[in-house]
Amino acid sequence: MVKRYLSLCSLENALHLLKTSFPAPDRRETIPVDRSLGRVVAAPVYAPYTVPEVSLAAMDGIAVRSRDTLGAGDQTALTIRDFARVNTGNPIPPGYDAVIMIEDTVPDSDGFRIRKSAAPGQHIRPAGEDIQKGRLILPRGHMIRAFDIGALATYGIACIEVRTIHVGIIPTGSELVPLGVQPGPGQVVESNTIMAQVYLDAMGAHCTRLPITCDDKNQIRDALHSATASNDLVLISAGSSAGTRDYTAEVISSLGKLLFHGVAVKPGKPMMLGEVGDKPVIGLPGYPLAAQTIIREFAGTLLEEWGLAPAQKFQIPVRLATPVSSDLGFDEFLPVSVGRVGRQYWGMAQSRGPVVQMATVRANGYAHIPAPVEGFEAGHKLDVFLTTDPATIYRTILLSGVMDPALEELGNLARDEGLYIHAGNTGNTGGLLSLKRNSCHAAPMMIPETSHPSAPGFVQSLQGMRDLAFIHIAGIEQGIASKEPVSLDALDKLRWVTVRRDLFSPTLFDTLRSSHNPGQERISGITGEVGSSAAVAAAIQDGHADAGICSRQAAEARELCFVRVADDQYELALHCHMLDDPLIAHILTLVRGQEFKEALMRRGTYNTSQTGRIRRISAEPADTDSMQVGSPSGLI
């Protein structure tokens, strides 16, 4: 029988219940000090001896009695006959209380002449200057840093007692295969528990991943019973939704108590919390982004509450580059790409589909939309938690527009130069809006060729934006993709999938159809609208449509038939003054380089004859490197 979410626990209540229901286990371990980076000290650490144990020379020179140097000056040189020659780090012999640097002395037959008196303690490290025996080095609860380890080693601390938590992780699902095994149809590589392990291990936990458990109540019950007996916290991956084979809630209830099932968080709604043998059991959703959210916001929060090192978070205020919607009543966490354009930090939301792990790979941070909020308009200021070194933001190029694999090749080369490209798939219209807001460095766009029926409309969309330049990336073939060859005279007999209107393909298709079927204004067999050429090809391969217009590359990647219809020009649109920006200048150098062209040619689907060319919008007709507003012929 399919279960339903009768009520959802709010994020605030769920976290409160999690933190207050389970006292922190006092679990410790002793580890070598050179392996303690990032761990939390479990007990105060005291110095076993004084450092330095005796007074040491801080300079190369001669150890003297300071009283013997009184009266020395530029006009009254003194010869020191009672001295001890010392090097840096040597113990100071008894009776001497100062060191004169060797470069401030002149040797003679009786000793060393000096022209400046020495003060008591000069160039001497007194005994106990660093630390004295029995003094505190690190307090309980301190997170150990690299330079702390150097100090601990100096003070003779070879091993240190740190906090830890034992976490058992149970992957469930008959469709799962282990890492290293290629999944067959309907199968998935088990990755959520690997992700959980590395995330929680980094906080100082000891995670044990159990073997994959099939969708069988008895097997899941046995695995949970075993895991709770030997761990402080147990995570069960998948089986927490409301399907007919989701047994986690039932198994938790049979062994202990289910505290709640369903939380008002997106992604992550199916999450559950149970108690078995006084141990917390967290049920993770099966979708990767949902699992990430629960691991970070719940499992990570609990370990932090129990005293382990918090996961690194760098909070930065940004303005949203595009509008963001959210379901009222749900706390939503969305992956965000952050960049600095001018003097302002901008954030661009990535895809929020719970299955799309690449959204977090492409992002460099995440934001929280509170439950009482239905979303934010573009330009709204909110906090983003960075998931990368904050210094990289100053070397990040933020793009908003049409995504194409050509940007991946450019991104590879950029990383070699210490630069980072982050992009949002907002389409041509979204890219132009971002340029108007100055919320991106550049907008990658698909620009129709002169003869394209969309060309006049595209030029019209540029009215009022006469300060734009266009960096040519590559020419991209557009055409009809299908599983079987299609006849242009029978387009209306097929089920078609199209991309959104601002990518020109629908207009191109309408013109193509009307030229072969003049009796109809529009096609009747459109089954749906998607956001990219890749999505068109996927819909055709999966049988949701018979044909659609997409790029040659997208069609060939899915092994589909392809008939070229037109070429689009893939270009980076940007404000002219941005050509002087050091980041853009560096990117332009990469685009014009031979290595980038060769990378595109290896893909076999790009025309690079004009790669690196710059065109500008001008009010009047100009040379061939200008784009004349209001004239389609000025596009090429």
Side-chain angles (χ1 to χ4, degrees), residues 524-538:
S524 59
I526 296 178
T527 63
E529 184 176 287
V530 294
S532 67
S533 282
V536 169

Side-chain angles (χ1 to χ4, degrees), residues 21 47 104 114 121 177 248 261 271 283 285 331 354 374 420 448 498 516 542 552 615:
S21 299
D104 291 337
I114 64 170
V177 297
T248 301
H261 184 192
M271 178 257 187
D331 283 88
E374 289 188 90
Y420 300 78
T498 66
H516 289 270
D542 293 342
R552 176 181 290 276
R615 300 185 291 170

Side-chain angles (χ1 to χ4, degrees), residues 6 25 43 129 153 159 165 180 209-210 217 220 227 239 250 271 301 321-322 342 368 395 437 510 521 527 584 609:
L6 298 180
E129 177 191 42
C159 294
I165 298 294
R209 290 170 48 233
L210 279 69
K217 279 187 288 187
I220 296 173
E250 183 179 348
M271 178 257 187
T301 297
T322 54
H368 175 205
R395 304 194 302 275
R437 300 186 193 103
D510 290 342
E521 293 184 0
T527 63
I584 295 298
S609 61

Side-chain angles (χ1 to χ4, degrees), residues 209-548:
R209 290 170 48 233
L210 279 69
I212 294 172
T213 303
C214 295
D215 291 316
D216 178 88
K217 279 187 288 187
N218 293 328
Q219 290 187 37
I220 296 173
R221 183 183 295 109
D222 291 343
L224 179 57
H225 183 270
S226 174
T228 53
S230 55
N231 292 283
D232 308 303
L233 166 67
V234 175
L235 306 182
I236 301 183
S237 177
S240 63
S241 296
T244 57
R245 295 189 301 163
D246 296 311
Y247 301 121
T248 301
E250 183 179 348
V251 168
I252 291 175
S253 297
S254 69
L255 295 176
K257 178 170 58 176
L258 186 65
L259 300 181
F260 65 79
H261 184 192
V263 62
V265 167
K266 286 191 173 181
K269 184 174 73 170
M271 178 257 187
M272 67 182 69
L273 176 65
E275 179 181 342
V276 176
D278 298 326
K279 311 287 182 64
V281 178
I282 294 177
L284 301 177
Y287 284 145
L289 260 64
Q292 288 179 23
T293 301
I294 302 307
I295 291 166
R296 184 185 66 232
E297 301 299 326
F298 287 89
T301 297
L302 179 61
L303 295 195
E304 186 177 343
E305 181 75 11
W306 282 352
L308 295 196
Q312 285 191 336
K313 292 180 182 178
F314 303 99
Q315 188 172 324
I316 184 173
V318 307
R319 292 193 183 278
L320 282 174
T322 54
V324 171
S325 62
S326 179
D327 288 340
L328 190 66
F330 283 84
D331 283 88
E332 189 158 359
F333 296 87
L334 64 153
V336 176
S337 291
V338 176
R340 191 172 188 262
V341 184
R343 297 184 177 181
Q344 178 63 52
Y345 295 103
W346 289 93
M348 191 173 301
Q350 294 287 344
S351 169
R352 286 178 282 173
V355 184
V356 187
Q357 285 182 279
M358 285 303 296
T360 53
V361 175
R362 295 186 177 111
N364 56 6
Y366 66 93
H368 175 205
I369 303 179
V373 178
E374 289 188 90
F376 299 114
E377 296 294 332
H380 179 83
K381 201 167 187 177
L382 78 166
D383 289 330
V384 169
F385 297 95
L386 298 181
T387 54
T388 186
D389 180 357
T392 64
I393 301 302
Y394 297 93
R395 304 194 302 275
T396 295
I397 297 97
L398 196 62
L399 305 180
S400 172
V402 181
M403 297 301 98
D404 184 86
L407 288 183
E408 298 171 6
E409 300 296 343
L410 185 59
N412 276 335
L413 297 178
R415 287 298 295 271
D416 292 340
E417 303 296 325
L419 304 177
Y420 300 78
I421 291 180
H422 284 273
N425 190 24
T426 61
N428 276 354
T429 301
L432 286 175
L433 290 174
S434 294
L435 286 177
K436 289 180 179 179
R437 300 186 193 103
N438 294 311
S439 61
C440 66
H441 291 93
M445 306 182 72
M446 288 292 185
I447 299 177
E449 60 184 5
T450 307
S451 59
H452 197 295
S454 294
F458 174 73
V459 174
Q460 184 66 31
S461 71
L462 299 179
Q463 293 292 338
M465 299 185 69
R466 299 178 184 271
D467 66 334
L468 292 186
F470 293 78
I471 300 173
H472 188 87
I473 302 300
I476 298 178
E477 292 184 47
Q478 300 288 347
I480 299 175
S482 59
K483 278 190 175 182
E484 303 294 336
V486 299
S487 170
L488 297 181
D489 296 324
L491 301 183
D492 275 341
K493 297 179 181 179
L494 303 175
R495 297 172 302 140
W496 287 81
V497 60
T498 66
V499 294
R500 54 193 178 202
R501 287 270 141 192
D502 70 341
L503 294 184
F504 311 128
S505 294
T507 305
L508 178 62
F509 176 77
D510 290 342
T511 302
L512 179 67
R513 182 214 50 76
S514 62
S515 66
H516 289 270
N517 297 270
Q520 291 184 327
E521 293 184 0
R522 298 190 64 82
I523 190 167
S524 59
I526 296 178
T527 63
E529 184 176 287
V530 294
S532 67
S533 282
V536 169
I540 296 169
Q541 186 186 55
D542 293 342
H544 300 307
D546 300 317

